[in-house]
Amino acid sequence: MSEQTAQALRAWFKRAEPLYPELFNTAYAICGSYALAESALRGALVDAWADRAEGGMGFKEKLRGAVREEALRLLKEDGGSAEIDWPGFDADLSDDPAIRQAAREDAETQRALMLRHGVGLSPGRISVITGMSVGMIRSALNRYLNRVRRALPGGQRGRAEAHIHRAMTLQLAARQGVPPPAAVYRAFEAEASGLQPPAHRLSQVIYRVLVLVMALVCAALFWLFAVLVQPPAMQGQGQAVTVQAPEQ
């Protein structure tokens, strides 16, 4: 691996690092397995690098989308053989009524709550992940929302869903239990270093497009030249010729 590639990888990973805890915790909630979540995070980072995801307004959403899709793919590929060790919520670590209420639910419901209010998955996708029926999920979500609403001060009850979303988002961003970034970076670097850097791949695409455009322009010019230099006799072919009879 060249020094230029190594520097590009380090710089790209540094831009992604502020989102690192959220990405891992998202993968962990989806996979339910710590080991699968690590693999999903690494795979999502490599995919985002290969797809030329750069810094900007859409950078975070690209990373979030990549980790969700990779976690779902690994979960399906695993087929349920991985041990579910997702820890759920700990009421002792938060004074927020939404988190404290979530910690009172059973483990299966806790995961469904995080997948809905934190990760933002639909009840249908949560059903595929957890094995709970869509009806059970919706019932659990409604029951939880009502309990949180009652636990909030009167002036905040009308914004209970927004409060839950903020609380779950903070939980996703927590660094407790997240694998060291350095370890994940080493694995990411080993896989990504064999791929072409995004800028190089982009320049190749632009070059090919320009070559195609130039070829089309040349073809059009050649056709125009052929029309312009066509002999007049050929242009007059097919026209009727009138022969005047001699006078008597």
Side-chain angles (χ1 to χ4, degrees):
M1 177 175 58
S2 68
E3 182 59 28
Q4 183 179 4
T5 300
Q7 289 178 357
L9 285 169
R10 284 193 293 269
W12 188 90
F13 189 85
K14 190 172 182 178
R15 289 196 295 273
E17 196 167 351
L19 206 63
Y20 177 85
E22 180 188 330
L23 296 176
F24 174 78
N25 288 323
T26 295
Y28 200 3
I30 292 173
C31 295
S33 161
Y34 192 96
L36 279 183
E38 275 194 282
S39 297
L41 174 58
R42 184 176 64 251
L45 291 172
V46 172
D47 288 346
W49 161 265
D51 288 342
R52 303 183 298 277
E54 295 294 335
M57 292 295 292
F59 182 60
K60 291 182 178 181
E61 288 309 312
K62 286 180 180 178
L63 287 174
R64 289 178 178 126
V67 81
R68 283 195 298 265
E69 294 307 312
E70 183 65 9
L72 289 167
R73 186 189 69 80
L74 287 182
L75 184 66
K76 182 178 180 180
E77 189 177 272
D78 176 73
S81 61
E83 180 184 357
I84 302 299
D85 53 15
W86 187 70
F89 299 96
D90 189 342
D92 295 333
L93 299 178
S94 177
D95 292 330
D96 192 292
I99 302 303
R100 297 181 71 85
Q101 181 58 51
R104 297 189 182 100
E105 305 288 345
D106 60 77
E108 198 174 53
T109 301
Q110 288 188 42
R111 192 167 163 215
L113 293 174
M114 176 58 84
L115 291 172
R116 178 58 181 159
H117 294 293
V119 181
L121 299 183
S122 67
R125 290 194 108 175
I126 297 171
S127 176
V128 173
I129 292 170
T130 63
M132 299 171 65
S133 70
V134 173
M136 288 176 61
I137 292 167
R138 286 178 174 155
S139 177
L141 292 173
N142 289 332
R143 184 173 62 248
Y144 168 73
L145 175 61
N146 290 331
R147 288 173 177 173
V148 172
R149 186 176 284 123
R150 288 194 296 270
L152 290 172
Q156 299 180 23
R157 290 176 182 175
R159 299 187 298 274
E161 287 191 79
H163 181 97
I164 292 169
H165 175 72
R166 286 195 300 271
M168 297 290 180
T169 300
L170 287 174
Q171 286 288 302
L172 279 180
R175 291 184 173 272
Q176 184 177 5
V178 172
V184 174
Y185 174 75
R186 286 192 296 270
F188 160 74
E189 184 183 50
E191 291 188 44
S193 60
L195 303 173
Q196 289 181 315
H200 185 204
R201 293 179 62 191
L202 182 59
S203 66
Q204 281 194 330
V205 172
I206 294 174
Y207 173 77
R208 290 172 183 170
V209 170
L210 288 176
V211 168
L212 178 60
V213 170
M214 289 301 297
L216 292 173
V217 170
C218 289
L221 290 174
F222 181 82
W223 175 83
L224 182 60
F225 177 79
V227 170
L228 291 175
V229 302
Q230 190 177 30
M234 294 181 64
Q235 294 178 1
Q237 284 181 359
Q239 295 181 355
V241 179
T242 303
V243 180
Q244 189 175 10
E247 295 182 358
Q248 297 195 358

